[in-house]
Amino acid sequence: MQVPASVDYERATSLSHAIELLERHGPEARIVAGGHSLLPMMKLRLIQPEVLIDINDLSELSYIKIEGNELRIGAMARHAELLSSPLVGEHFPIIVEAEKVIADPIVRNRGTVGGSLCQADPSEDLSAVFSALKAKLVIQGSHGSRTVDATSFHDGPYSTVVSSDEILIEVKIPIRPGCGCAYEKVERRVGDWAIAAVGAAVYIEAGVIHDAGIGLTAVGSEHFNAPEAEAYLAGKSPSPELISEAARLAAENCHPSADQRGPEDYKRHLVQVLTERALTTSVERATRGGF
Amino acid sequence: MHVKMIVNGKEYESEIEPRLLLVHFIRDELGLTGTHWGCDTSNCGTCVLWMDGIPVKSCTVLAAMANGRVIRTVEDLETGGQLDPVQQGFMEMHGLQCGFCTPGMMMTARWLLDHNSNPSETEIREAISGQFCRCTGYENIVRAIRWASEHQDASAESTKVGEVVA
């Protein structure tokens, strides 16, 4: 029987109340949203917070909308909501493809976007997606909000730049012309964490990739990205050879480690194959026809 | 802490430790043992019940988080002595052997049919993909849910609880 250690419980009624509770209880307090990453870790006693601050009543953080040229996702949006959102499907198939392979439908009913990001599991899928899409993350504290790039959100495994009196409130994804994006994941069984997964986004205008994003997860990329491959693609015309070389660079520069999901060379191989596939699909989507 | 919630239409109140899981609250405090407690790691899905109308794995929700919410468990499927078409379908199509996964399967199936009255086999398999059955190979569970979708008005003809099936 798995039971969390003793913990106190508070329920926040608003964003400002949540921040006030965080300030009052200090660094031993943890926000709980869906709880589907946090509670399993508490059951295993890998995390023992003194206080849980439940933010499930914060409907103000539960939205998916377009504002200006950005898709904005509130931190309390559930995985199932992201998966079924027509706005998300229209603009970012990468998100839909990733969400389909995150856990299972019942877990997705409960798990949240903000919770997944803040849990910061090194095998987490949305971190790679938001890296590829060069999303911005909005973090709120009592003295105002700040915005950080998705690629500078993590400062280590299970660790983020959100401090103990702050809360992640929103993900902002730029909607830019000529975008094509895709997600590719290999898992041991349905709903498992990735052995390796790759998200890609390319922005093509007049036959040239003017920007590219490649997100990696589960392969030791601290910021869930592949900057060498991204830089290589920028300013060039898409071709199978170009994509192969970018995939090679992504595989060469990541840092997978051997574990029960496979040896290092296998994971590196996966990164190469999956990057190639994700980029090829992204180019097809951006140009509605391919090379 | 003090919690109050509506379970199957009835209000319950209790003093609990905040670390108590919802599945244990439902089973041990309320005595509603239809909801099963399985893997404890949100994988197997036998603990699925509805919270505010959405299926959730109750081994991964604190009872404290369910405070003030509306819960529906497998005990609520049968009404007035009549089985829900989903329950009837599991019986007609032999959708269970040991029965351990059945409450979670049925709660997910009921939710699926409420939102998609005529699901394809693929949609059914997707819906129950977060739930394990170690007896049936899933074939008969899928058939049971298909049966229920084709007999949504079956309550009038369904087996009464306690009736002996020939």
Side-chain angles (χ1 to χ4, degrees):
Chain A
M1 181 168 174
Q2 296 182 9
V3 179
S6 285
V7 65
D8 285 333
Y9 173 90
E10 299 256 26
R11 188 176 291 183
T13 53
S14 67
L15 180 56
S16 55
H17 184 216
I19 292 166
E20 185 193 313
L21 289 169
L22 283 170
E23 287 179 330
R24 188 191 313 158
H25 293 291
E28 297 309 316
R30 278 293 291 261
I31 297 263
V32 60
H36 275 56
S37 302
L38 183 60
L39 291 177
M41 292 194 83
M42 287 173 62
K43 286 176 168 190
L44 294 169
R45 311 286 172 109
L46 294 171
I47 302 176
Q48 295 195 20
E50 287 173 8
V51 185
L52 285 178
I53 299 169
D54 183 349
I55 58 166
N56 280 280
D57 282 352
L58 270 56
S59 53
E60 63 212 270
L61 297 184
S62 185
Y63 56 85
I64 300 168
K65 64 185 177 188
I66 287 181
E67 245 177 58
N69 54 358
E70 286 176 330
L71 178 73
R72 296 187 172 206
I73 303 168
M76 278 304 293
R78 313 264 176 195
H79 292 295
E81 292 166 345
L82 218 52
L83 185 52
S84 62
S85 159
L87 278 182
V88 171
E90 181 191 342
H91 291 282
F92 298 110
I94 182 177
I95 298 179
V96 176
E97 287 165 351
E99 282 293 354
K100 274 186 188 162
V101 290
I102 292 175
D104 64 60
I106 309 292
V107 169
R108 290 196 295 263
N109 280 343
R110 192 76 187 141
T112 65
V113 172
S116 289
L117 292 174
C118 290
Q119 182 70 14
D121 190 293
S123 303
E124 197 274 313
D125 293 286
L126 289 181
S127 300
V129 169
F130 295 143
S131 255
L133 294 173
K134 303 193 174 173
K136 308 252 186 219
L137 308 183
V138 184
I139 300 165
Q140 179 83 40
S142 59
H143 300 296
S145 67
R146 61 192 177 108
T147 301
V148 300
D149 291 336
T151 47
S152 42
F153 183 70
H154 302 86
D155 59 4
Y158 303 100
S159 179
T160 73
V161 298
V162 180
S163 67
S164 61
D165 56 357
E166 290 181 316
I167 174 170
L168 172 68
I169 57 167
E170 186 178 56
V171 180
K172 300 200 286 191
I173 307 170
I175 299 173
R176 297 151 66 189
C179 176
C181 54
Y183 197 71
E184 294 280 348
K185 173 176 174 177
V186 172
E187 52 193 354
R188 292 179 301 181
R189 58 171 194 279
V190 172
D192 194 15
W193 297 101
I195 301 171
V198 178
V202 296
Y203 303 88
I204 299 179
E205 277 184 299
V208 173
I209 300 175
H210 63 93
D211 195 12
I214 295 175
L216 308 179
T217 194
V219 289
S221 172
E222 188 182 350
H223 300 294
F224 293 85
N225 61 351
E228 299 82 3
E230 291 174 358
Y232 176 75
L233 289 166
K236 298 193 176 75
S237 293
S239 69
E241 296 72 31
L242 185 84
I243 285 176
S244 289
E245 179 58 14
R248 195 192 63 75
L249 285 170
E252 185 179 281
N253 290 290
C254 66
H255 308 283
S257 40
D259 60 16
Q260 75 274 22
R261 288 185 173 79
E264 185 193 322
D265 58 344
Y266 170 56
K267 293 182 180 183
R268 211 178 278 283
H269 169 74
L270 280 181
V271 169
Q272 182 156 354
V273 172
L274 298 181
T275 303
E276 204 162 323
R277 286 183 192 164
L279 279 172
T280 303
T281 307
S282 298
V283 169
E284 279 171 10
R285 286 175 177 164
T287 57
R288 300 270 178 265
F291 304 108
Chain B
M1 65 176 286
H2 192 77
V3 292
K4 190 196 284 194
M5 67 189 84
I6 293 172
V7 182
N8 300 336
K10 195 173 154 192
E11 190 171 271
Y12 292 89
E13 286 186 61
S14 192
E15 283 298 323
I16 60 160
E17 269 194 86
R19 63 174 169 167
L20 181 69
L21 299 168
L22 181 57
V23 64
H24 298 308
F25 179 76
I26 294 289
R27 287 177 55 84
D28 303 338
E29 298 279 326
L30 308 188
L32 295 169
T33 53
T35 300
H36 287 172
W37 167 48
C39 71
D40 224 350
T41 56
S42 63
N43 282 291
C44 82
T46 193
C47 65
V48 169
L49 47 69
W50 295 8
M51 183 158 78
D52 287 347
I54 306 281
V56 299
K57 292 181 173 177
S58 60
C59 75
T60 311
V61 176
L62 296 173
M65 297 170 80
N67 187 19
R69 316 232 181 260
V70 176
I71 304 294
R72 188 184 188 202
T73 70
V74 69
E75 283 90 347
D76 195 51
L77 287 182
E78 165 264 315
T79 44
Q82 297 289 337
L83 296 181
D84 186 280
V86 166
Q87 294 172 305
Q88 187 75 16
F90 271 71
M91 199 168 76
E92 299 286 343
M93 304 312 288
H94 202 104
L96 64 147
Q97 288 176 34
C98 86
F100 192 76
C101 71
T102 312
M105 289 286 182
M106 293 200 302
M107 292 311 284
T108 299
R110 182 66 266 157
W111 190 87
L112 172 69
L113 296 177
D114 284 352
H115 293 80
N116 177 359
S117 60
N118 187 27
S120 66
E121 179 175 336
T122 307
E123 287 169 329
I124 293 172
R125 287 182 182 275
E126 166 70 17
I128 60 170
S129 62
Q131 294 170 251
F132 292 166
C133 171
R134 286 292 169 258
C135 303
T136 64
Y138 302 97
E139 285 296 327
N140 285 356
I141 293 177
V142 174
R143 286 183 196 137
I145 298 172
R146 277 298 315 160
W147 189 97
S149 82
E150 288 157 11
H151 298 79
Q152 287 285 20
D153 303 321
S155 57
E157 60 195 76
S158 82
T159 307
K160 289 201 170 63
V161 173
E163 184 178 322
V164 176
V165 183

